[in-house]
Amino acid sequence: EGVHPDDLAELRKVSREIWEARRPASVEYRLLRHDGVFRYVMASAVPRLTPDGMFLGMVGASMDITALREAETQRLAMQAQMQEAARVESIARLAAGAAHEINNLLTGVLGNANLAQLEPGLPPTVLDYLARIEDGTLKVADLTQKLQSFSGRAPTTRVLESLTSIVEDTLPLLRTTAPRRVALSIELETDTPDIVADAAQLKQVLVNLFTNAVEAAGPRGEVRVSLAGHADGSIEFTIQDNGPGPAPH
């Protein structure tokens, strides 16, 4: 009585093995406590036998191992987080190295394109091609800057920025990374005051918060992104999910 329905079959199986094999055994199962909460229990039992081997019953003891299981779950979660952190750090180092090498190449491309534009008598079509090379090079340079920001190795640049623009620039990435099972709701005010911030780092923070919200939302979840200004000049930015939240202990 009070055994979790999902554990009944295993408990009966072990009890039958003790009777059939005439040897001790242990089993882990969930048992309903008086307050209505299921607790994990480790039970061990030995058979009681007559001198000629007749089975008389079982003698056993049980111990509440809920705290041990929770500690093990936390240990495994921490281990997974450390492994993920190591993986991200490895990717960050790779991204930083790649960005550095690309920047070296871009310097040469951009410098030669600038020098070529100074040559006299170039046809307009050639000048147009050189301008396109310069524009493309600058765009790639901006991409490498983002790679360095992701790796945490880019210099911090704090200037006056529009938080609305930063969020709007990040939205395409958020929409791309959001799985189809998650509904995305966006509510942004356009007249919020500017803030002093590093745009690249702030975008990375937004992506991290959004990723956490998507993971917490669960199947058929919803994530709401909102930005609003207040009369006192403060700005409220919210990323909210409709997930169940952490499991109670």
Side-chain angles (χ1 to χ4, degrees):
E1 184 180 353
V3 176
H4 195 285
D6 293 343
D7 299 335
L8 271 174
E10 181 65 18
L11 184 60
R12 288 168 178 165
K13 175 185 174 184
V14 173
S15 299
R16 186 167 58 252
E17 289 175 353
I18 295 174
W19 177 76
E20 293 175 349
R22 302 294 200 267
R23 62 169 179 252
S26 298
V27 63
E28 181 181 314
Y29 61 96
R30 284 162 290 183
L31 186 65
L32 189 65
R33 200 168 60 180
H34 63 85
D35 57 1
V37 176
F38 278 101
R39 305 286 291 182
Y40 283 93
V41 172
M42 173 64 74
S44 301
V46 295
R48 290 184 58 208
L49 306 174
T50 63
D52 57 357
M54 181 180 296
F55 187 81
L56 297 178
M58 292 181 288
V59 177
S62 60
M63 179 177 64
D64 188 330
I65 61 168
T66 305
L68 293 175
R69 281 186 59 96
E70 291 176 350
E72 177 65 10
T73 300
Q74 292 175 1
R75 186 189 69 80
L76 293 175
M78 181 65 68
Q79 185 179 46
Q81 290 177 0
M82 292 175 64
Q83 291 173 346
E84 179 66 13
R87 186 185 71 85
V88 171
E89 175 62 22
S90 176
I91 294 174
R93 285 197 299 267
L94 177 63
H100 178 71
E101 294 298 327
I102 293 172
N103 273 334
N104 289 340
L105 296 173
L106 291 178
T107 301
V109 173
L110 187 59
N112 286 314
N114 290 335
L115 290 173
Q117 287 175 319
L118 299 177
E119 288 293 322
L122 291 178
T125 52
V126 174
L127 289 172
D128 182 58
Y129 291 149
L130 290 171
R132 292 184 184 183
I133 291 173
E134 183 179 14
D135 181 63
T137 304
L138 292 174
K139 288 181 179 178
V140 176
D142 180 64
L143 178 60
T144 60
Q145 174 70 21
K146 291 178 180 178
L147 280 173
Q148 289 180 317
S149 297
F150 167 76
S151 67
R153 289 165 172 79
T156 302
T157 305
R158 298 183 64 191
V159 295
L160 203 60
E161 298 276 5
S162 166
L163 185 55
T164 302
S165 298
I166 292 175
V167 176
E168 288 176 342
D169 289 344
T170 314
L171 284 179
L173 177 60
L174 301 185
R175 290 192 173 99
T176 301
T177 56
R180 293 184 179 180
R181 62 175 175 79
V182 174
L184 182 58
S185 172
I186 309 293
E187 298 177 13
L188 302 181
E189 290 187 7
T190 57
D191 57 348
T192 56
D194 292 344
I195 61 172
V196 176
D198 184 303
Q201 291 186 354
L202 195 53
K203 287 177 182 179
Q204 187 61 51
V205 171
L206 301 185
V207 171
N208 292 342
L209 290 174
F210 181 78
T211 302
N212 291 339
V214 168
E215 292 176 352
R220 298 183 180 179
E222 180 180 351
V223 175
R224 176 175 170 267
V225 179
S226 63
L227 178 66
H230 298 293
D232 60 359
S234 62
I235 305 173
E236 181 179 357
F237 177 74
T238 305
I239 296 182
Q240 183 179 17
D241 63 81
N242 65 340
H249 294 289

